Amino acid sequence: MHDPNPLQPPAGPDELARALGAVGYLPSRPLSVALYLALELGRPLLLEGPAGVGKTELARAGAQALGRELIRLQCYEGLDESRALFAWDYPKQILFTQLLREAVAGELAGARGLAEAADRLGDGASVFYGERFLVPRPILRALRSEAPSLLLVDEVDRADPEFEAFLLEVLADYQVTIPELGTVRARHAPLVVLTSNGARDMSDALRRRCLHAFVDYPEPSRELAILRRRLPGLDEALASALVAFVQRLRALDLRKAPSVGETLDWARALATLGARHLDPALVADTLGALVKFEEDRAKVEGKLTKLLEGPPKGA
């Protein structure tokens, strides 16, 4: 849900950080500064980093903290303008054509040949490419929103380079060109947040249009604070021990390191089992909440004793 009456812009990064904290997101100082500058300067913000470190969640929390509608465009290979910008409602166009058949027949009465009939229909055909048949997709919705919105272009690195090129006009001028309608300019410039997991490099042209922030796995103290915020009833000693374990786990050469979300999943699993401390048997039984590949499981199980030693520096 979003507030139909957007909140006043925060007075600075600290106030924005407090607003994000109030909706459950604990940003690092660089992240709160980057988001604040994107908001104040009217620039898109490109968030890069490993999967599961909270990039998408920052956009969600930002929309909630700022009282804006979150409009999300999930990117994937093969994404094109018709899925991101707009489409024509072809079934509705066909239905209207059938309903207006008699009117069309009257318009064509007495036409001498196809050329004259086409000329008569020329102007009338444009009505089928107007607002009533337009289906707005996320980018057009954000540009035409009656109130400032937050447009999340999620996992932009999964889209093709051609789609990235299409985004440049949107990111540079907050406008798009639709051949049948002309140039559509933003009623209110949206706050645009793009995320990338690094599947491929973003072009220099896209980077130039954006502010940039790298989002990494949180340091132990911050991950522990996230855990306490999300699971306030979790045993303190258990929380400290599992954060230390996860931090050590990420130092291994795993196919997929555990995300913050998976830390939370594991904590919920341990709490459900009534755990008060970690031991090798318990960790082995619940490892599926943390590691998602069998090769990673085998690697971790072979080092459980070492991984369960004291917390890493900074916890």
Side-chain angles (χ1 to χ4, degrees), residues 38-301:
L39 181 65
E40 287 296 302
L41 300 178
R43 296 283 298 281
L45 176 61
L46 173 61
L47 300 175
E48 292 189 286
V53 293
K55 302 184 296 296
T56 299
E57 190 59 31
L58 174 60
R60 289 198 186 103
Q64 189 175 355
L66 296 169
R68 296 188 174 207
E69 179 184 7
L70 175 67
I71 301 175
R72 180 179 180 180
L73 173 63
Q74 176 62 53
C75 296
Y76 54 87
E77 186 177 353
L79 176 65
D80 58 19
E81 293 181 31
S82 67
R83 293 291 181 181
L85 182 57
F86 78 98
W88 294 113
D89 191 339
Y90 292 119
K92 189 175 180 181
Q93 287 171 322
I94 292 171
L95 176 61
F96 268 62
T97 301
Q98 293 171 340
L99 293 174
L100 297 174
R101 185 182 305 166
E102 291 185 9
V104 171
E107 185 73 21
L108 298 180
R112 292 172 295 181
L114 293 176
E116 184 177 342
D119 288 340
R120 291 189 185 184
L121 284 177
D123 294 336
S126 63
V127 303
F128 291 99
Y129 292 94
E131 291 289 339
R132 64 166 61 88
F133 299 107
L134 188 69
V135 181
R137 303 300 193 195
I139 289 177
L140 189 58
R141 283 179 54 209
L143 295 180
R144 299 173 68 187
S145 176
E146 295 292 345
S149 63
L150 190 152
L151 173 63
L152 169 61
V153 184
D154 215 4
E155 298 183 310
V156 66
D157 53 317
R158 295 180 60 186
D160 301 319
E162 294 78 9
F163 179 76
E164 184 182 331
F166 156 72
L167 281 176
L168 297 181
E169 182 185 9
V170 179
L171 300 181
D173 303 312
Y174 297 113
Q175 66 179 37
V176 292
T177 301
I178 299 175
E180 296 86 351
L181 299 178
T183 300
V184 178
R185 295 178 176 82
R187 295 172 180 169
H188 302 276
L191 173 58
V192 181
V193 176
L194 304 94
T195 73
S196 169
N197 296 333
R200 65 173 179 84
D201 287 337
M202 298 292 96
S203 69
D204 289 344
L206 184 139
R207 290 182 180 278
R208 283 197 305 271
R209 286 162 172 78
C210 300
L211 301 181
H212 179 270
F214 185 81
V215 188
D216 207 347
Y217 295 109
E219 60 188 18
S221 59
R222 185 163 161 257
E223 189 160 24
L224 187 57
I226 293 170
L227 204 59
R228 287 168 176 157
R229 175 67 65 91
R230 295 294 186 88
L231 300 171
L234 191 66
D235 181 81
E236 281 290 325
L238 179 63
S240 296
L242 72 86
V243 166
F245 181 85
V246 171
Q247 292 278 332
R248 289 177 179 271
L249 209 61
R250 292 189 186 125
L252 298 179
D253 183 23
L254 300 179
R255 183 173 173 182
K256 182 189 179 304
S259 68
V260 177
E262 285 155 350
T263 300
L264 293 167
D265 286 343
W266 191 39
R268 293 185 185 99
L270 295 173
T272 299
L273 294 174
R276 307 289 291 183
H277 64 278
L278 298 181
D279 61 63
L282 176 64
V283 173
D285 287 344
T286 57
L287 208 51
L290 279 178
V291 296
K292 303 303 170 72
F293 292 94
E294 187 58 32
E295 62 202 78
D296 288 347
R297 174 186 282 274
K299 186 176 293 186
V300 173
E301 286 181 339

